[in-house]
Structure formats: C-alpha cells, structure tokens
Amino acid sequence: MEFLINFFTDYGYFAVLFVLIICGFGVPIPEDITLVSGGVISGLGYTNPHIMLVVSILGVLLGDSTMYWLGRLYGVKILRFRPIRKMLTLKRLQMVRTQFDKYGNRVLFTARFLPGLRAPIYMVSGITRRVSFIRFVLIDFFAAIISVPIWVYLGHFGASNLDWLNEQIKKGQFVIYVIIAVVALIVFWKWKQSRQNKQQAED
C-alpha cells in the first residue's frame, strides 16, 4: 500500500485510473488496496475525495468493460493466449457458463465482490453474449457504488493513522472472504442437490 500511496501522490488521479484498469485485467494488484490508497492521498490533501471516488468508479468500470469486450470480440479463441488461458481455464469457463444459465445477472452483480473470479466472469459474460454491454455496465455500476465508496472513503478518513487503516482493511477483507466461502458453499450445496435429484429421476 505504501508503494501505491507514493505512486498516486506523484501522479494523482491518472495513476489511480491506470492501476484500476489493469486490475480489471486480472493483474495481481488488490483492487481494494488500490482504492484505499487513492482515498489516502485524498485524506492527505493531494486530491479531492469526491473526484477520487468518480475516478475510481470510472477506472473500475473501464477495467471490467475491457474484460467483457475481450471475451465478446474474440470468443473462446481468446483461450489461445497463454496469460488468458492461465486465468480462464476450460473448466472454469464451463463452470461460469453453468452459473450464468442458472442465475443470470446475479452472477455479474456478485462477481464484483469476488476477487480472483471477477475477471474470468466478466470475460465469460462477453464470450457467451447473453448480456448486452449496456446491461453489463449498469449491473457493474450498481455493484461498484456499493463497494468502491467504502474503500475510497475508508482510505480518506484513515489517512492520518495507517496502522488503524491496515486493521480496517484486514477486517474488510475477512468479511469478503467469509462472503465468498458462504457463496461457494451455497453453490456447492445446490449443485449437489440438483445432481441427487437428477439421479433420483433417472432411477
């Protein structure tokens, strides 16, 4: 976080925008830490926190939209690219497609809160072409206005006490991991239940 704070202090809004866009590509830079760091430099007086929020939401949407369009333009052929193939395996592609069939737009909304799965899900939404770009952006936006302001303003108000801020980030990340675990358990339970029902029907 200290590196990002220093980087953002030197280059301001454009640096935050750039890092958030590449976060959308699945680059291993935590999006929450990036958003908090953007908030910190606002709290230190280098930028305006409200403008920083707008820039952050724009960066998030641009990064996510890029993944959507890569999937939409190239389809499954994008799996020929080795970096993409590592992030989006055939097994993961099939799994996400199945979830789209069952839950539709809810998968996209939930993906915003699932680090590590976010980029593959957005790419698959483009590959399947079951979601128009306008709908994709709207769903992503409504999810972003829940999470992004929390991280940005947390950084803004905690800028003077980084130790306290780090503790709050850890708590926030823990809550996210708990949510991911709960979602995974629900999905597994429903999958197991549907499989049992299918076997009973065949018998």
Side-chain angles (χ1 to χ4, degrees):
M1 186 169 69
E2 291 181 6
F3 170 78
L4 287 174
I5 291 172
N6 292 330
F7 180 55
F8 293 164
T9 299
D10 292 337
Y11 299 100
Y13 300 117
F14 292 105
V16 176
L17 183 68
F18 170 74
V19 173
L20 285 172
I21 290 173
I22 64 173
C23 281
F25 280 78
V27 174
I29 302 174
E31 187 180 273
D32 48 4
I33 300 297
T34 302
L35 293 168
V36 170
S37 300
V40 167
I41 67 167
S42 295
L44 296 175
Y46 292 99
T47 58
N48 180 286
H50 309 304
I51 296 176
M52 179 59 71
L53 174 60
V54 173
V55 170
S56 297
I57 290 178
L58 181 61
V60 162
L61 294 179
L62 285 173
D64 295 344
S65 297
T66 301
M67 299 308 292
Y68 172 89
W69 278 110
L70 283 173
R72 190 174 180 107
L73 292 174
Y74 292 98
V76 292
K77 290 186 290 185
I78 200 167
L79 298 180
R80 295 175 184 173
F81 296 96
R82 185 172 295 177
I84 299 294
R85 194 164 58 242
K86 288 182 179 179
M87 178 184 68
L88 182 62
T89 62
L90 278 173
K91 186 176 180 181
R92 183 173 285 185
L93 173 62
Q94 292 169 353
M95 180 192 73
V96 175
R97 274 182 165 171
T98 301
Q99 298 309 310
F100 264 111
D101 290 339
K102 291 183 178 179
Y103 306 110
N105 296 339
R106 285 174 288 178
V107 175
L108 282 179
F109 185 85
T110 306
R112 172 113 295 279
F113 310 98
L114 302 176
L117 292 176
R118 190 182 299 139
I121 289 174
Y122 293 155
M123 186 175 289
V124 172
S125 69
I127 290 173
T128 60
R129 298 193 174 196
R130 294 179 185 175
V131 180
S132 69
F133 179 62
I134 293 176
R135 178 175 291 185
F136 172 84
V137 171
L138 286 175
I139 293 172
D140 198 29
F141 172 76
F142 284 120
I145 60 174
I146 295 174
S147 60
V148 174
I150 292 174
W151 292 118
V152 172
Y153 287 122
L154 178 65
H156 175 73
F157 291 112
S160 59
N161 190 343
L162 292 184
D163 290 334
W164 174 85
L165 185 58
N166 278 318
E167 284 299 315
Q168 302 311 307
I169 292 171
K170 289 177 182 177
K171 289 179 182 178
Q173 290 174 331
F174 176 74
V175 171
I176 291 172
Y177 293 142
V178 169
I179 292 172
I180 292 172
V182 170
V183 170
L185 285 172
I186 292 172
V187 170
F188 176 75
W189 176 76
K190 288 192 173 184
W191 171 79
K192 191 173 181 180
Q193 194 176 45
S194 64
R195 191 174 179 181
Q196 287 176 345
N197 292 338
K198 188 177 180 180
Q199 287 177 345
Q200 289 174 358
E202 289 176 353
D203 294 340

